[in-house]
Amino acid sequence: MFYVFNLRKFLKIACVYVVLGLVLNTGFNYFLSSNTKSVMADKKVYIAIVIDDFGYSGEGTEDMINLPIVFTGAVMPFSENSKDNAEKLISAGKETIVHMPMESLTGKKSWVGDRGIFLDMKDEYIRKNVNDAFDIVVGAKGLNNHMGSAIMEDKRTLSAVLDTVEEKGLYFLDSVTTPNSKAEEICKDKNITIFKRDVFLDSTDDENKVKENLLKAEKVANEKGYAIAIGHVGPDGGNVTVNAIKNLYSEMESRGVEFVTLSQLEKVIKN
């Protein structure tokens, strides 16, 4: 018996297999793509942005407060707009901390202000100034240092600063203005939650540089699960920093970044 080759039938069957293959391949690729997107969406990393120098109503203050992401606002406590800026931050759903002026190893004492923390101060006056600062920045969840490299390296004065933080059950953010900070050692002794700055965002008038630093914070977060980035209102950041965050935050969120306050980050780390 001879088999008669039917070209038309062969082509018809071949077409069916080709179409079936394309459908299966498309479906498989869609499954992989959807699954990858799902995994990426489930992978969260956390960035806590801290914005220093509220209190002066400096450049970018209002726009920064109105950003659609949460952040922690560090408020200079003895400035003319300290209370006003702190209240506006809280009303906008942001978090506040005291941005405590402290003596630096470099620069003039006048830059710290009359109510800052100095090496020659007695412990009782240090505690009074810190307590007064918290009375002004009502609702503050913690404290970080403004300048302060000299204080951060001096165990006695820094310990007096942190006495009040301990008593109030709050956290401390080391802005890392010196590599020789005693903060971690003292906070451990006093059982205070301590955070450390990972990235400085600004002190530049180049928006692209701020964006670069935001992406650097994202890289740090991808490596260890979270990152803390410090920026500024006023001359050290202001509108440049506001615009960089505005133009980049949505893209970062699409890659799995969640912006949090330091209090929220504390819960994430503990969990």
PDB file of all heavy atoms in Angstrom, residues 106-143:
ATOM      1  N   THR A 106      34.543  72.755  63.661  1.00  0.00           N
ATOM      2  CA  THR A 106      34.906  73.855  62.758  1.00  0.00           C
ATOM      3  C   THR A 106      33.756  74.849  62.716  1.00  0.00           C
ATOM      4  O   THR A 106      32.628  74.532  63.084  1.00  0.00           O
ATOM      5  CB  THR A 106      35.169  73.335  61.336  1.00  0.00           C
ATOM      6  OG1 THR A 106      33.997  72.664  60.859  1.00  0.00           O
ATOM      7  CG2 THR A 106      36.331  72.359  61.321  1.00  0.00           C
ATOM      8  N   GLY A 107      34.024  76.042  62.284  1.00  0.00           N
ATOM      9  CA  GLY A 107      32.969  77.050  62.190  1.00  0.00           C
ATOM     10  C   GLY A 107      32.838  77.861  63.465  1.00  0.00           C
ATOM     11  O   GLY A 107      33.417  77.551  64.507  1.00  0.00           O
ATOM     12  N   LYS A 108      32.050  78.911  63.378  1.00  0.00           N
ATOM     13  CA  LYS A 108      31.884  79.837  64.491  1.00  0.00           C
ATOM     14  C   LYS A 108      30.805  79.366  65.463  1.00  0.00           C
ATOM     15  O   LYS A 108      29.810  78.775  65.067  1.00  0.00           O
ATOM     16  CB  LYS A 108      31.507  81.219  63.960  1.00  0.00           C
ATOM     17  CG  LYS A 108      32.540  81.821  63.019  1.00  0.00           C
ATOM     18  CD  LYS A 108      32.026  83.138  62.447  1.00  0.00           C
ATOM     19  CE  LYS A 108      33.026  83.737  61.481  1.00  0.00           C
ATOM     20  NZ  LYS A 108      32.521  84.993  60.872  1.00  0.00           N
ATOM     21  N   LYS A 109      31.000  79.678  66.752  1.00  0.00           N
ATOM     22  CA  LYS A 109      29.982  79.354  67.749  1.00  0.00           C
ATOM     23  C   LYS A 109      28.674  80.081  67.459  1.00  0.00           C
ATOM     24  O   LYS A 109      27.590  79.582  67.766  1.00  0.00           O
ATOM     25  CB  LYS A 109      30.480  79.720  69.148  1.00  0.00           C
ATOM     26  CG  LYS A 109      31.436  78.708  69.762  1.00  0.00           C
ATOM     27  CD  LYS A 109      31.669  79.017  71.243  1.00  0.00           C
ATOM     28  CE  LYS A 109      32.504  77.925  71.890  1.00  0.00           C
ATOM     29  NZ  LYS A 109      32.649  78.144  73.356  1.00  0.00           N
ATOM     30  N   SER A 110      28.767  81.247  66.868  1.00  0.00           N
ATOM     31  CA  SER A 110      27.567  82.037  66.572  1.00  0.00           C
ATOM     32  C   SER A 110      26.638  81.303  65.603  1.00  0.00           C
ATOM     33  O   SER A 110      25.430  81.551  65.582  1.00  0.00           O
ATOM     34  CB  SER A 110      27.948  83.400  65.989  1.00  0.00           C
ATOM     35  OG  SER A 110      28.692  83.254  64.795  1.00  0.00           O
ATOM     36  N   TRP A 111      27.200  80.396  64.806  1.00  0.00           N
ATOM     37  CA  TRP A 111      26.390  79.635  63.869  1.00  0.00           C
ATOM     38  C   TRP A 111      25.459  78.673  64.602  1.00  0.00           C
ATOM     39  O   TRP A 111      24.442  78.262  64.064  1.00  0.00           O
ATOM     40  CB  TRP A 111      27.274  78.862  62.895  1.00  0.00           C
ATOM     41  CG  TRP A 111      28.090  79.728  61.990  1.00  0.00           C
ATOM     42  CD1 TRP A 111      28.000  81.075  61.829  1.00  0.00           C
ATOM     43  CD2 TRP A 111      29.137  79.294  61.119  1.00  0.00           C
ATOM     44  NE1 TRP A 111      28.924  81.521  60.914  1.00  0.00           N
ATOM     45  CE2 TRP A 111      29.643  80.447  60.453  1.00  0.00           C
ATOM     46  CE3 TRP A 111      29.712  78.066  60.821  1.00  0.00           C
ATOM     47  CZ2 TRP A 111      30.677  80.399  59.533  1.00  0.00           C
ATOM     48  CZ3 TRP A 111      30.746  78.001  59.896  1.00  0.00           C
ATOM     49  CH2 TRP A 111      31.225  79.157  59.254  1.00  0.00           C
ATOM     50  N   VAL A 112      25.827  78.310  65.811  1.00  0.00           N
ATOM     51  CA  VAL A 112      25.022  77.370  66.601  1.00  0.00           C
ATOM     52  C   VAL A 112      23.847  78.089  67.248  1.00  0.00           C
ATOM     53  O   VAL A 112      22.779  77.516  67.460  1.00  0.00           O
ATOM     54  CB  VAL A 112      25.896  76.673  67.666  1.00  0.00           C
ATOM     55  CG1 VAL A 112      25.084  75.687  68.486  1.00  0.00           C
ATOM     56  CG2 VAL A 112      27.091  75.973  67.006  1.00  0.00           C
ATOM     57  N   GLY A 113      24.019  79.362  67.574  1.00  0.00           N
ATOM     58  CA  GLY A 113      22.959  80.138  68.219  1.00  0.00           C
ATOM     59  C   GLY A 113      23.101  80.155  69.731  1.00  0.00           C
ATOM     60  O   GLY A 113      23.870  79.389  70.316  1.00  0.00           O
ATOM     61  N   ASP A 114      22.328  81.023  70.367  1.00  0.00           N
ATOM     62  CA  ASP A 114      22.430  81.214  71.817  1.00  0.00           C
ATOM     63  C   ASP A 114      21.955  80.010  72.617  1.00  0.00           C
ATOM     64  O   ASP A 114      22.386  79.802  73.746  1.00  0.00           O
ATOM     65  CB  ASP A 114      21.623  82.450  72.250  1.00  0.00           C
ATOM     66  CG  ASP A 114      22.187  83.731  71.664  1.00  0.00           C
ATOM     67  OD1 ASP A 114      23.395  83.750  71.354  1.00  0.00           O
ATOM     68  OD2 ASP A 114      21.419  84.693  71.514  1.00  0.00           O
ATOM     69  N   ARG A 115      21.014  79.231  72.057  1.00  0.00           N
ATOM     70  CA  ARG A 115      20.415  78.147  72.819  1.00  0.00           C
ATOM     71  C   ARG A 115      20.917  76.776  72.379  1.00  0.00           C
ATOM     72  O   ARG A 115      20.271  75.757  72.638  1.00  0.00           O
ATOM     73  CB  ARG A 115      18.894  78.184  72.685  1.00  0.00           C
ATOM     74  CG  ARG A 115      18.232  79.449  73.168  1.00  0.00           C
ATOM     75  CD  ARG A 115      18.358  79.650  74.674  1.00  0.00           C
ATOM     76  NE  ARG A 115      17.910  78.490  75.447  1.00  0.00           N
ATOM     77  CZ  ARG A 115      16.633  78.226  75.753  1.00  0.00           C
ATOM     78  NH1 ARG A 115      15.684  79.062  75.353  1.00  0.00           N
ATOM     79  NH2 ARG A 115      16.313  77.187  76.463  1.00  0.00           N
ATOM     80  N   GLY A 116      22.050  76.735  71.737  1.00  0.00           N
ATOM     81  CA  GLY A 116      22.607  75.462  71.314  1.00  0.00           C
ATOM     82  C   GLY A 116      23.298  74.733  72.450  1.00  0.00           C
ATOM     83  O   GLY A 116      23.250  75.147  73.610  1.00  0.00           O
ATOM     84  N   ILE A 117      23.970  73.643  72.116  1.00  0.00           N
ATOM     85  CA  ILE A 117      24.713  72.843  73.093  1.00  0.00           C
ATOM     86  C   ILE A 117      26.205  73.067  72.856  1.00  0.00           C
ATOM     87  O   ILE A 117      26.697  72.883  71.743  1.00  0.00           O
ATOM     88  CB  ILE A 117      24.381  71.347  72.953  1.00  0.00           C
ATOM     89  CG1 ILE A 117      22.863  71.114  73.031  1.00  0.00           C
ATOM     90  CG2 ILE A 117      25.112  70.533  74.015  1.00  0.00           C
ATOM     91  CD1 ILE A 117      22.214  71.580  74.316  1.00  0.00           C
ATOM     92  N   PHE A 118      26.911  73.447  73.939  1.00  0.00           N
ATOM     93  CA  PHE A 118      28.341  73.760  73.834  1.00  0.00           C
ATOM     94  C   PHE A 118      29.151  72.915  74.816  1.00  0.00           C
ATOM     95  O   PHE A 118      28.638  72.480  75.859  1.00  0.00           O
ATOM     96  CB  PHE A 118      28.567  75.245  74.110  1.00  0.00           C
ATOM     97  CG  PHE A 118      27.891  76.160  73.118  1.00  0.00           C
ATOM     98  CD1 PHE A 118      26.633  76.684  73.387  1.00  0.00           C
ATOM     99  CD2 PHE A 118      28.501  76.455  71.913  1.00  0.00           C
ATOM    100  CE1 PHE A 118      25.999  77.511  72.474  1.00  0.00           C
ATOM    101  CE2 PHE A 118      27.878  77.286  70.989  1.00  0.00           C
ATOM    102  CZ  PHE A 118      26.619  77.814  71.263  1.00  0.00           C
ATOM    103  N   LEU A 119      30.401  72.730  74.487  1.00  0.00           N
ATOM    104  CA  LEU A 119      31.278  71.893  75.309  1.00  0.00           C
ATOM    105  C   LEU A 119      31.448  72.425  76.727  1.00  0.00           C
ATOM    106  O   LEU A 119      31.640  71.646  77.667  1.00  0.00           O
ATOM    107  CB  LEU A 119      32.655  71.755  74.644  1.00  0.00           C
ATOM    108  CG  LEU A 119      32.724  70.909  73.367  1.00  0.00           C
ATOM    109  CD1 LEU A 119      34.111  71.025  72.746  1.00  0.00           C
ATOM    110  CD2 LEU A 119      32.402  69.445  73.660  1.00  0.00           C
ATOM    111  N   ASP A 120      31.400  73.743  76.893  1.00  0.00           N
ATOM    112  CA  ASP A 120      31.646  74.318  78.221  1.00  0.00           C
ATOM    113  C   ASP A 120      30.373  74.443  79.065  1.00  0.00           C
ATOM    114  O   ASP A 120      30.393  75.020  80.153  1.00  0.00           O
ATOM    115  CB  ASP A 120      32.332  75.680  78.098  1.00  0.00           C
ATOM    116  CG  ASP A 120      31.511  76.688  77.301  1.00  0.00           C
ATOM    117  OD1 ASP A 120      30.390  76.330  76.852  1.00  0.00           O
ATOM    118  OD2 ASP A 120      31.989  77.825  77.111  1.00  0.00           O
ATOM    119  N   MET A 121      29.268  73.893  78.601  1.00  0.00           N
ATOM    120  CA  MET A 121      28.019  73.968  79.353  1.00  0.00           C
ATOM    121  C   MET A 121      27.954  72.887  80.422  1.00  0.00           C
ATOM    122  O   MET A 121      28.441  71.763  80.217  1.00  0.00           O
ATOM    123  CB  MET A 121      26.809  73.811  78.418  1.00  0.00           C
ATOM    124  CG  MET A 121      26.575  74.988  77.497  1.00  0.00           C
ATOM    125  SD  MET A 121      25.175  74.703  76.369  1.00  0.00           S
ATOM    126  CE  MET A 121      23.806  74.777  77.511  1.00  0.00           C
ATOM    127  N   LYS A 122      27.332  73.218  81.552  1.00  0.00           N
ATOM    128  CA  LYS A 122      27.085  72.219  82.585  1.00  0.00           C
ATOM    129  C   LYS A 122      25.913  71.323  82.165  1.00  0.00           C
ATOM    130  O   LYS A 122      25.038  71.737  81.409  1.00  0.00           O
ATOM    131  CB  LYS A 122      26.762  72.907  83.911  1.00  0.00           C
ATOM    132  CG  LYS A 122      27.940  73.672  84.503  1.00  0.00           C
ATOM    133  CD  LYS A 122      27.556  74.313  85.830  1.00  0.00           C
ATOM    134  CE  LYS A 122      28.751  75.058  86.439  1.00  0.00           C
ATOM    135  NZ  LYS A 122      28.400  75.710  87.740  1.00  0.00           N
ATOM    136  N   ASP A 123      25.915  70.107  82.709  1.00  0.00           N
ATOM    137  CA  ASP A 123      24.889  69.126  82.341  1.00  0.00           C
ATOM    138  C   ASP A 123      23.477  69.662  82.551  1.00  0.00           C
ATOM    139  O   ASP A 123      22.590  69.430  81.730  1.00  0.00           O
ATOM    140  CB  ASP A 123      25.064  67.835  83.146  1.00  0.00           C
ATOM    141  CG  ASP A 123      26.300  67.048  82.725  1.00  0.00           C
ATOM    142  OD1 ASP A 123      27.057  67.557  81.880  1.00  0.00           O
ATOM    143  OD2 ASP A 123      26.494  65.938  83.236  1.00  0.00           O
ATOM    144  N   GLU A 124      23.257  70.391  83.655  1.00  0.00           N
ATOM    145  CA  GLU A 124      21.909  70.869  83.972  1.00  0.00           C
ATOM    146  C   GLU A 124      21.403  71.849  82.917  1.00  0.00           C
ATOM    147  O   GLU A 124      20.211  71.866  82.578  1.00  0.00           O
ATOM    148  CB  GLU A 124      21.889  71.519  85.358  1.00  0.00           C
ATOM    149  CG  GLU A 124      22.818  72.722  85.487  1.00  0.00           C
ATOM    150  CD  GLU A 124      23.028  73.139  86.939  1.00  0.00           C
ATOM    151  OE1 GLU A 124      22.174  73.902  87.444  1.00  0.00           O
ATOM    152  OE2 GLU A 124      24.031  72.709  87.527  1.00  0.00           O
ATOM    153  N   TYR A 125      22.297  72.683  82.363  1.00  0.00           N
ATOM    154  CA  TYR A 125      21.892  73.639  81.339  1.00  0.00           C
ATOM    155  C   TYR A 125      21.665  72.944  79.996  1.00  0.00           C
ATOM    156  O   TYR A 125      20.794  73.352  79.219  1.00  0.00           O
ATOM    157  CB  TYR A 125      22.933  74.744  81.203  1.00  0.00           C
ATOM    158  CG  TYR A 125      23.012  75.634  82.421  1.00  0.00           C
ATOM    159  CD1 TYR A 125      24.178  75.702  83.182  1.00  0.00           C
ATOM    160  CD2 TYR A 125      21.914  76.388  82.825  1.00  0.00           C
ATOM    161  CE1 TYR A 125      24.250  76.505  84.311  1.00  0.00           C
ATOM    162  CE2 TYR A 125      21.978  77.191  83.955  1.00  0.00           C
ATOM    163  CZ  TYR A 125      23.142  77.246  84.697  1.00  0.00           C
ATOM    164  OH  TYR A 125      23.193  78.033  85.811  1.00  0.00           O
ATOM    165  N   ILE A 126      22.449  71.905  79.755  1.00  0.00           N
ATOM    166  CA  ILE A 126      22.240  71.117  78.532  1.00  0.00           C
ATOM    167  C   ILE A 126      20.851  70.497  78.560  1.00  0.00           C
ATOM    168  O   ILE A 126      20.077  70.596  77.593  1.00  0.00           O
ATOM    169  CB  ILE A 126      23.320  70.021  78.398  1.00  0.00           C
ATOM    170  CG1 ILE A 126      24.694  70.653  78.137  1.00  0.00           C
ATOM    171  CG2 ILE A 126      22.953  69.044  77.264  1.00  0.00           C
ATOM    172  CD1 ILE A 126      25.839  69.660  78.127  1.00  0.00           C
ATOM    173  N   ARG A 127      20.515  69.866  79.687  1.00  0.00           N
ATOM    174  CA  ARG A 127      19.206  69.222  79.805  1.00  0.00           C
ATOM    175  C   ARG A 127      18.066  70.235  79.688  1.00  0.00           C
ATOM    176  O   ARG A 127      17.021  69.961  79.086  1.00  0.00           O
ATOM    177  CB  ARG A 127      19.108  68.455  81.126  1.00  0.00           C
ATOM    178  CG  ARG A 127      20.078  67.281  81.222  1.00  0.00           C
ATOM    179  CD  ARG A 127      19.783  66.407  82.423  1.00  0.00           C
ATOM    180  NE  ARG A 127      20.830  65.427  82.636  1.00  0.00           N
ATOM    181  CZ  ARG A 127      21.823  65.543  83.523  1.00  0.00           C
ATOM    182  NH1 ARG A 127      21.887  66.617  84.310  1.00  0.00           N
ATOM    183  NH2 ARG A 127      22.742  64.611  83.644  1.00  0.00           N
ATOM    184  N   LYS A 128      18.273  71.424  80.266  1.00  0.00           N
ATOM    185  CA  LYS A 128      17.239  72.475  80.185  1.00  0.00           C
ATOM    186  C   LYS A 128      17.003  72.889  78.738  1.00  0.00           C
ATOM    187  O   LYS A 128      15.853  73.018  78.291  1.00  0.00           O
ATOM    188  CB  LYS A 128      17.635  73.690  81.012  1.00  0.00           C
ATOM    189  CG  LYS A 128      16.554  74.786  81.006  1.00  0.00           C
ATOM    190  CD  LYS A 128      16.971  76.004  81.774  1.00  0.00           C
ATOM    191  CE  LYS A 128      15.826  77.013  81.896  1.00  0.00           C
ATOM    192  NZ  LYS A 128      15.113  77.270  80.632  1.00  0.00           N
ATOM    193  N   ASN A 129      18.085  73.106  77.992  1.00  0.00           N
ATOM    194  CA  ASN A 129      17.938  73.519  76.598  1.00  0.00           C
ATOM    195  C   ASN A 129      17.235  72.451  75.765  1.00  0.00           C
ATOM    196  O   ASN A 129      16.397  72.760  74.908  1.00  0.00           O
ATOM    197  CB  ASN A 129      19.307  73.842  75.995  1.00  0.00           C
ATOM    198  CG  ASN A 129      19.773  75.250  76.336  1.00  0.00           C
ATOM    199  OD1 ASN A 129      19.091  75.977  77.062  1.00  0.00           O
ATOM    200  ND2 ASN A 129      20.937  75.637  75.838  1.00  0.00           N
ATOM    201  N   VAL A 130      17.582  71.192  76.014  1.00  0.00           N
ATOM    202  CA  VAL A 130      16.957  70.107  75.250  1.00  0.00           C
ATOM    203  C   VAL A 130      15.480  69.992  75.609  1.00  0.00           C
ATOM    204  O   VAL A 130      14.623  69.828  74.728  1.00  0.00           O
ATOM    205  CB  VAL A 130      17.694  68.761  75.482  1.00  0.00           C
ATOM    206  CG1 VAL A 130      16.976  67.622  74.761  1.00  0.00           C
ATOM    207  CG2 VAL A 130      19.137  68.851  74.989  1.00  0.00           C
ATOM    208  N   ASN A 131      15.165  70.080  76.888  1.00  0.00           N
ATOM    209  CA  ASN A 131      13.760  70.036  77.305  1.00  0.00           C
ATOM    210  C   ASN A 131      12.968  71.200  76.720  1.00  0.00           C
ATOM    211  O   ASN A 131      11.830  71.029  76.263  1.00  0.00           O
ATOM    212  CB  ASN A 131      13.660  70.047  78.832  1.00  0.00           C
ATOM    213  CG  ASN A 131      13.706  68.645  79.422  1.00  0.00           C
ATOM    214  OD1 ASN A 131      12.891  67.796  79.101  1.00  0.00           O
ATOM    215  ND2 ASN A 131      14.678  68.401  80.282  1.00  0.00           N
ATOM    216  N   ASP A 132      13.558  72.388  76.730  1.00  0.00           N
ATOM    217  CA  ASP A 132      12.893  73.558  76.143  1.00  0.00           C
ATOM    218  C   ASP A 132      12.641  73.352  74.645  1.00  0.00           C
ATOM    219  O   ASP A 132      11.615  73.775  74.106  1.00  0.00           O
ATOM    220  CB  ASP A 132      13.742  74.813  76.354  1.00  0.00           C
ATOM    221  CG  ASP A 132      13.734  75.289  77.808  1.00  0.00           C
ATOM    222  OD1 ASP A 132      12.919  74.783  78.594  1.00  0.00           O
ATOM    223  OD2 ASP A 132      14.566  76.166  78.143  1.00  0.00           O
ATOM    224  N   ALA A 133      13.594  72.704  73.985  1.00  0.00           N
ATOM    225  CA  ALA A 133      13.450  72.435  72.551  1.00  0.00           C
ATOM    226  C   ALA A 133      12.239  71.534  72.287  1.00  0.00           C
ATOM    227  O   ALA A 133      11.448  71.781  71.367  1.00  0.00           O
ATOM    228  CB  ALA A 133      14.722  71.787  72.009  1.00  0.00           C
ATOM    229  N   PHE A 134      12.067  70.517  73.116  1.00  0.00           N
ATOM    230  CA  PHE A 134      10.923  69.620  72.949  1.00  0.00           C
ATOM    231  C   PHE A 134       9.604  70.316  73.284  1.00  0.00           C
ATOM    232  O   PHE A 134       8.561  69.974  72.731  1.00  0.00           O
ATOM    233  CB  PHE A 134      11.099  68.355  73.791  1.00  0.00           C
ATOM    234  CG  PHE A 134      11.960  67.308  73.141  1.00  0.00           C
ATOM    235  CD1 PHE A 134      13.248  67.063  73.587  1.00  0.00           C
ATOM    236  CD2 PHE A 134      11.481  66.569  72.062  1.00  0.00           C
ATOM    237  CE1 PHE A 134      14.040  66.096  72.984  1.00  0.00           C
ATOM    238  CE2 PHE A 134      12.266  65.601  71.450  1.00  0.00           C
ATOM    239  CZ  PHE A 134      13.550  65.366  71.908  1.00  0.00           C
ATOM    240  N   ASP A 135       9.655  71.287  74.176  1.00  0.00           N
ATOM    241  CA  ASP A 135       8.443  72.049  74.496  1.00  0.00           C
ATOM    242  C   ASP A 135       7.988  72.889  73.305  1.00  0.00           C
ATOM    243  O   ASP A 135       6.791  73.165  73.142  1.00  0.00           O
ATOM    244  CB  ASP A 135       8.700  72.975  75.697  1.00  0.00           C
ATOM    245  CG  ASP A 135       8.776  72.215  77.009  1.00  0.00           C
ATOM    246  OD1 ASP A 135       8.309  71.057  77.057  1.00  0.00           O
ATOM    247  OD2 ASP A 135       9.327  72.780  77.977  1.00  0.00           O
ATOM    248  N   ILE A 136       8.947  73.295  72.478  1.00  0.00           N
ATOM    249  CA  ILE A 136       8.632  74.113  71.299  1.00  0.00           C
ATOM    250  C   ILE A 136       8.185  73.242  70.129  1.00  0.00           C
ATOM    251  O   ILE A 136       7.184  73.524  69.467  1.00  0.00           O
ATOM    252  CB  ILE A 136       9.849  74.970  70.907  1.00  0.00           C
ATOM    253  CG1 ILE A 136      10.110  76.030  71.981  1.00  0.00           C
ATOM    254  CG2 ILE A 136       9.633  75.622  69.537  1.00  0.00           C
ATOM    255  CD1 ILE A 136      11.440  76.727  71.849  1.00  0.00           C
ATOM    256  N   VAL A 137       8.923  72.166  69.866  1.00  0.00           N
ATOM    257  CA  VAL A 137       8.582  71.257  68.758  1.00  0.00           C
ATOM    258  C   VAL A 137       7.654  70.178  69.330  1.00  0.00           C
ATOM    259  O   VAL A 137       8.049  69.031  69.551  1.00  0.00           O
ATOM    260  CB  VAL A 137       9.844  70.642  68.118  1.00  0.00           C
ATOM    261  CG1 VAL A 137       9.468  69.853  66.857  1.00  0.00           C
ATOM    262  CG2 VAL A 137      10.863  71.724  67.768  1.00  0.00           C
ATOM    263  N   VAL A 138       6.421  70.573  69.572  1.00  0.00           N
ATOM    264  CA  VAL A 138       5.449  69.690  70.224  1.00  0.00           C
ATOM    265  C   VAL A 138       5.171  68.459  69.345  1.00  0.00           C
ATOM    266  O   VAL A 138       4.968  68.580  68.137  1.00  0.00           O
ATOM    267  CB  VAL A 138       4.130  70.448  70.490  1.00  0.00           C
ATOM    268  CG1 VAL A 138       3.096  69.525  71.112  1.00  0.00           C
ATOM    269  CG2 VAL A 138       4.396  71.646  71.395  1.00  0.00           C
ATOM    270  N   GLY A 139       5.205  67.296  69.970  1.00  0.00           N
ATOM    271  CA  GLY A 139       4.925  66.065  69.237  1.00  0.00           C
ATOM    272  C   GLY A 139       6.133  65.446  68.574  1.00  0.00           C
ATOM    273  O   GLY A 139       6.009  64.439  67.866  1.00  0.00           O
ATOM    274  N   ALA A 140       7.316  66.000  68.792  1.00  0.00           N
ATOM    275  CA  ALA A 140       8.536  65.456  68.181  1.00  0.00           C
ATOM    276  C   ALA A 140       8.771  64.024  68.654  1.00  0.00           C
ATOM    277  O   ALA A 140       8.613  63.705  69.828  1.00  0.00           O
ATOM    278  CB  ALA A 140       9.728  66.331  68.534  1.00  0.00           C
ATOM    279  N   LYS A 141       9.173  63.166  67.721  1.00  0.00           N
ATOM    280  CA  LYS A 141       9.382  61.752  68.017  1.00  0.00           C
ATOM    281  C   LYS A 141      10.830  61.406  68.336  1.00  0.00           C
ATOM    282  O   LYS A 141      11.150  60.278  68.697  1.00  0.00           O
ATOM    283  CB  LYS A 141       8.930  60.904  66.824  1.00  0.00           C
ATOM    284  CG  LYS A 141       7.478  61.099  66.433  1.00  0.00           C
ATOM    285  CD  LYS A 141       6.537  60.673  67.533  1.00  0.00           C
ATOM    286  CE  LYS A 141       5.081  60.772  67.092  1.00  0.00           C
ATOM    287  NZ  LYS A 141       4.143  60.417  68.174  1.00  0.00           N
ATOM    288  N   GLY A 142      11.713  62.394  68.177  1.00  0.00           N
ATOM    289  CA  GLY A 142      13.119  62.133  68.425  1.00  0.00           C
ATOM    290  C   GLY A 142      13.939  63.390  68.256  1.00  0.00           C
ATOM    291  O   GLY A 142      13.406  64.507  68.263  1.00  0.00           O
ATOM    292  N   LEU A 143      15.241  63.205  68.087  1.00  0.00           N
ATOM    293  CA  LEU A 143      16.169  64.340  68.008  1.00  0.00           C
ATOM    294  C   LEU A 143      17.334  63.954  67.110  1.00  0.00           C
ATOM    295  O   LEU A 143      17.772  62.796  67.112  1.00  0.00           O
ATOM    296  CB  LEU A 143      16.652  64.697  69.414  1.00  0.00           C
ATOM    297  CG  LEU A 143      17.646  65.860  69.586  1.00  0.00           C
ATOM    298  CD1 LEU A 143      17.370  66.584  70.911  1.00  0.00           C
ATOM    299  CD2 LEU A 143      19.101  65.371  69.585  1.00  0.00           C
TER     300      LEU A 143
END
